[in-house]
Amino acid sequence: MNKELIATFSKKGKGNKTSVLLVEKVESDGEIKKNFKFINDPDFHFWKSKKPLDIYQTTVSLDKVEEVHCKYSNLSKTIAEITNRQDFYNRCIEQNKLSSLRKLHNHKDIHRSDIDIQDYMIFKYNRENRKFLKNFNLQKGLFDIEVDIFDYDDGFPEPEKAPCPINFISYIDNKTLEMRMFCLFMPTNENQKEFFNKYKGDSENLWTDENNEWTKKTHKEHFSKMKSLKVYWFKSELNLIKKFYSFVHRDKADYLCAFNAYFDLKTIEQRLIQLGDNPSDVMCPEEFPLKKVYLKEDTYSVDLDDKSDTLDVAGWGSCIDLRFAYLAKRKGQGKLESTKLGDILLNELGESKFELTTSIKEEAYANYENFFLYSGYDSYRMFELEEQNMDVDLIHLMFNMLYTRQSKVFRKNIYIINLMSEFYLSEGEVISNNRNKFIEHESLTDFKGAFVASSELVNPVGININGQQSKTVFNDTIDQDFTGLYPAIISAFQVGDKTLMGKIMTENPFLNEYFGELINEKDYIHIGNSFFGMPTFSDVLENIESLLKD
């Protein structure tokens, strides 16, 4: 029997009890099936010191600690009892300040109690099933929505308000290579009526036959990599959305993917509410005992390659933003000139999005056939992009290797601790809690950082410059700056004051800050252009084109 964990979901319910749902693939007798496991108020364990420690420690030997087992809902209460802080615990409960209970983890004798419950379950699953683990081929569903903004004059609609109806959804399953289009009849759209009447053939109400002549022609000319193309027409927006999700739940894809997925999913959620339905009843499988739709935009991160929106929709797989997956994977390769889907497609595939004849606001009313193709091509090109780059595969690999939920696999402060926890356990030690995150930073209180000695104390043992040995320039040195978790990094990478020999400094602040970074990223084109005045590829091509024209 072979197994693989595909997704995890958690939800807090009544009485502060958290339930967890695990989705796994199981191969038995040559057949691969998907199962889910529902755990209401899961068991949890952490460690406490056998004897009180004198100081906070990053790791503690296993022979100096003992395991403590409890229900996850009783974690805070259990820690309070161990550390004699019942009064603090009771006060938090009475005043309904549950978020303050996290301070209980900030104790020198409590270890690895602050791990997220989903990460804990990933860690537990992979350790318990280690001899059965196997990496299966991933099944991905790729989709894109369009909204009717023809009569909307306030710019592009905000997904939190979702003022415009969803009039089109395209959806591809990369396993079956089935492509489906879900179209909404728009009563005032005369061009759409002409298109439908012209190509519907013998259909009267719903045009779903893949043998329809126009469908066959479109499949062959535009979407030839698909095994089938089916088109569904609806007079009800609610029925359109429900039909789309009926296929999502039927296909049971490991990942449901969209470019800028927050907009699509949040719009669907809000439209369902406005149409009088419960989003979790539609967007989550009917058979799941845990139903959850929680979508939150990351408004904290400035750069898109750091922007990790929360797309927590309980299903047979996880929801993934393909834009984030693409940008986060390439973060160290320098900034992209554009993060628009069309420009990424052009750079990666040599082909961009399907061309509009007017604008996205007017296309569905001016040329519906072209609007249909434009909308379908978004999912089709995303399919081609993902088949080529396999960005989602990397996220899934990190999910299981780093014991970290998909939305956090690029967060160093989370995945390094989760990964190091496994390493330390194998070495007979347990990693302790992350104390820094429990410290409340007040505006007038400085947090004591690393000790930095004066450079004037450095002896003149560097290279010879104008007959004198330098205090600032040395041979064969490297200085790499890590942004956090110093003790763990010192242990893992042998980076510390004992191995640091010096630091390259110049009179140019810009050079000091960026040159080393670009060298590490191997961004040689940027280096040559920015620091040495050398041409970029674009400059070279323009010169060649100019010479050829002459």
Side-chain angles (χ1 to χ4, degrees):
M1 178 182 292
N2 297 313
K3 294 183 175 184
E4 183 180 22
L5 185 63
I6 298 298
T8 63
F9 305 97
S10 65
K11 184 178 181 180
K12 185 168 289 187
K14 295 181 179 179
N16 200 36
K17 289 187 177 181
T18 296
S19 55
V20 175
L21 188 139
L22 308 179
V23 179
E24 64 175 354
K25 276 184 178 177
V26 178
E27 182 182 40
S28 180
D29 298 326
E31 185 179 6
I32 300 174
K33 291 185 178 181
K34 254 187 175 177
N35 301 324
F36 70 83
K37 294 182 177 180
F38 176 71
I39 308 166
N40 187 28
D41 196 12
D43 294 325
F44 188 83
H45 81 275
F46 60 99
W47 286 265
K48 70 172 184 176
S49 304
K50 291 180 180 178
K51 294 182 179 180
L53 300 176
D54 295 328
I55 59 173
Y56 289 108
Q57 294 183 202
T58 304
T59 62
V60 185
S61 176
L62 284 174
D63 60 10
K64 295 182 178 180
V65 297
E66 60 185 44
E67 287 191 24
V68 179
H69 293 261
C70 64
K71 288 292 185 180
Y72 188 70
S73 61
N74 290 329
L75 176 60
S76 296
K77 184 178 181 180
T78 303
I79 296 175
E81 292 172 350
I82 292 173
T83 58
N84 295 318
R85 299 193 68 189
Q86 293 98 323
D87 290 344
F88 173 77
Y89 172 82
N90 292 333
R91 190 163 60 251
C92 290
I93 297 298
E94 291 169 1
Q95 298 176 3
N96 198 29
K97 294 182 177 180
L98 301 184
S99 61
S100 295
L101 291 173
R102 65 190 181 93
K103 297 178 182 178
L104 290 167
H105 299 276
N106 186 25
H107 193 282
K108 67 181 186 301
D109 294 316
I110 300 297
H111 315 288
R112 206 56 178 133
S113 65
D114 59 344
I115 184 173
D116 179 86
I117 186 60
Q118 287 181 239
D119 295 346
Y120 176 87
M121 298 305 295
I122 298 169
F123 186 84
K124 182 180 179 181
Y125 180 94
N126 284 324
R127 284 181 66 88
E128 291 178 350
N129 296 284
R130 183 166 293 176
K131 63 181 180 180
F132 304 113
L133 295 180
K134 177 181 178 179
N135 294 324
F136 296 101
N137 291 330
L138 287 183
Q139 183 178 353
K140 307 163 194 171
L142 305 102
F143 78 102
D144 183 62
I145 74 167
E146 304 290 348
V147 293
D148 185 2
I149 58 175
F150 185 70
D151 295 321
Y152 187 72
D153 297 323
D154 293 331
F156 203 73
E158 298 177 13
E160 294 80 8
K161 298 178 180 178
C164 305
I166 297 171
N167 61 355
F168 194 96
I169 300 179
S170 55
Y171 171 62
I172 291 174
D173 182 281
N174 81 322
K175 180 182 177 181
T176 62
L177 295 180
E178 293 177 333
M179 185 174 190
R180 303 180 187 276
M181 311 288 206
F182 306 88
C183 314
L184 180 67
F185 280 118
M186 297 177 284
T188 61
N189 191 338
E190 295 298 326
N191 190 270
Q192 184 193 50
K193 292 178 183 178
E194 293 175 9
F195 168 79
F196 181 79
N197 291 329
K198 182 178 180 180
Y199 294 117
K200 71 176 182 178
D202 297 329
S203 302
E204 293 184 1
N205 295 317
L206 292 179
W207 175 20
T208 59
D209 186 2
E210 61 186 294
N211 293 316
N212 173 280
E213 290 302 318
W214 184 87
T215 305
K216 289 195 297 183
K217 178 175 177 291
T218 302
H219 179 200
K220 181 178 179 181
E221 292 182 0
H222 296 281
F223 309 116
S224 58
K225 294 181 181 179
M226 300 292 102
K227 287 185 178 179
S228 66
L229 170 64
K230 294 186 178 181
V231 184
Y232 302 82
W233 292 88
F234 301 89
K235 295 181 179 179
S236 161
E237 180 189 1
L238 180 59
N239 289 340
L240 182 153
I241 298 173
K242 285 185 173 181
K243 188 67 172 180
F244 162 63
Y245 268 100
S246 72
F247 284 108
V248 170
H249 302 325
R250 186 206 68 171
D251 295 340
K252 298 183 178 180
D254 303 323
Y255 287 90
L256 186 62
C257 317
F259 194 86
N260 189 16
Y262 173 77
F263 174 84
D264 293 41
L265 292 169
K266 192 67 176 180
T267 298
I268 291 174
E269 176 203 43
Q270 292 302 307
R271 290 304 300 172
L272 286 171
I273 293 173
Q274 293 177 35
L275 293 168
D277 218 316
N278 187 340
S280 61
D281 289 340
V282 177
M283 301 173 74
C284 303
E286 182 180 0
E287 61 269 36
F288 274 20
L290 186 155
K291 298 182 187 295
K292 180 182 181 182
V293 177
Y294 179 66
L295 305 164
K296 184 179 180 181
E297 184 178 14
D298 179 2
T299 57
Y300 177 80
S301 302
V302 177
D303 296 329
L304 287 177
D305 51 17
D306 289 326
K307 193 174 185 293
S308 178
D309 299 324
T310 300
L311 310 173
D312 203 357
V313 181
W316 286 106
S318 298
C319 295
I320 288 289
D321 181 2
L322 285 182
R323 181 176 65 179
F324 172 72
Y326 180 87
L327 295 177
K329 180 180 175 182
R330 294 158 181 81
K331 183 177 180 181
Q333 301 175 14
K335 294 291 183 182
L336 297 179
E337 293 183 5
S338 171
T339 57
K340 293 181 179 179
L341 177 59
D343 293 327
I344 291 175
L345 293 173
L346 188 61
N347 181 57
E348 292 286 341
L349 305 177
E351 297 181 87
S352 186
K353 300 177 65 168
F354 196 78
E355 291 290 334
L356 295 169
T357 58
T358 55
S359 67
I360 189 60
K361 180 182 178 72
E362 301 172 343
E363 191 77 359
Y365 288 80
N367 188 341
Y368 190 83
E369 182 173 2
N370 203 73
F371 168 79
F372 182 100
L373 296 173
Y374 169 86
S375 303
Y377 260 102
D378 276 2
S379 291
Y380 189 66
R381 292 287 186 237
M382 285 191 290
F383 161 78
E384 292 180 313
L385 182 68
E386 179 56 26
E387 289 294 294
Q388 173 182 291
N389 293 339
M390 302 179 70
D391 294 327
V392 174
D393 293 71
L394 174 64
I395 289 179
H396 184 69
L397 182 65
M398 295 171 71
F399 159 73
N400 275 312
M401 287 185 62
L402 304 178
Y403 314 110
T404 304
R405 53 207 184 278
Q406 289 96 333
S407 60
K408 304 297 181 182
V409 294
F410 290 106
R411 299 290 189 188
K412 290 184 290 185
N413 62 322
I414 296 176
Y415 78 72
I416 288 180
I417 293 179
N418 290 340
L419 181 61
M420 294 305 295
S421 179
E422 162 71 4
F423 168 76
Y424 278 119
L425 280 177
S426 67
E427 296 293 315
E429 298 204 0
V430 59
I431 195 169
S432 197
N433 288 342
N434 180 8
R435 317 292 177 191
N436 189 44
K437 72 179 182 180
F438 300 116
I439 296 175
E440 294 184 355
H441 301 277
E442 299 179 5
S443 58
L444 299 179
T445 303
D446 291 331
F447 177 75
K448 187 176 180 180
F451 177 74
V452 180
S454 171
S455 60
E456 296 299 319
L457 299 176
V458 178
N459 293 327
V461 292
I463 66 173
N464 192 295
I465 301 177
N466 295 329
Q468 293 185 345
Q469 284 186 292
S470 173
K471 298 174 64 174
T472 57
V473 183
F474 303 84
N475 284 322
D476 304 322
T477 60
I478 183 172
D479 176 14
Q480 187 168 0
D481 181 25
F482 289 88
T483 57
L485 303 172
Y486 296 133
I489 288 171
I490 290 172
S491 300
F493 301 104
Q494 295 300 301
V495 177
D497 58 333
K498 294 181 180 179
T499 57
L500 179 65
M501 298 179 65
K503 185 174 183 178
I504 299 174
M505 298 293 291
T506 74
E507 294 180 357
N508 186 336
F510 180 77
L511 186 65
N512 292 337
E513 184 174 355
Y514 295 109
F515 188 72
E517 180 180 336
L518 294 173
I519 285 289
N520 288 333
E521 294 174 357
K522 298 182 180 180
D523 194 348
Y524 304 126
I525 294 176
H526 193 174
I527 293 171
N529 180 250
S530 300
F531 299 106
F532 302 106
M534 298 176 68
T536 64
F537 277 138
S538 300
D539 296 331
V540 173
L541 289 174
E542 287 180 5
N543 289 335
I544 293 174
E545 291 175 356
S546 178
L547 288 172
L548 291 175
K549 289 180 181 178
D550 294 341

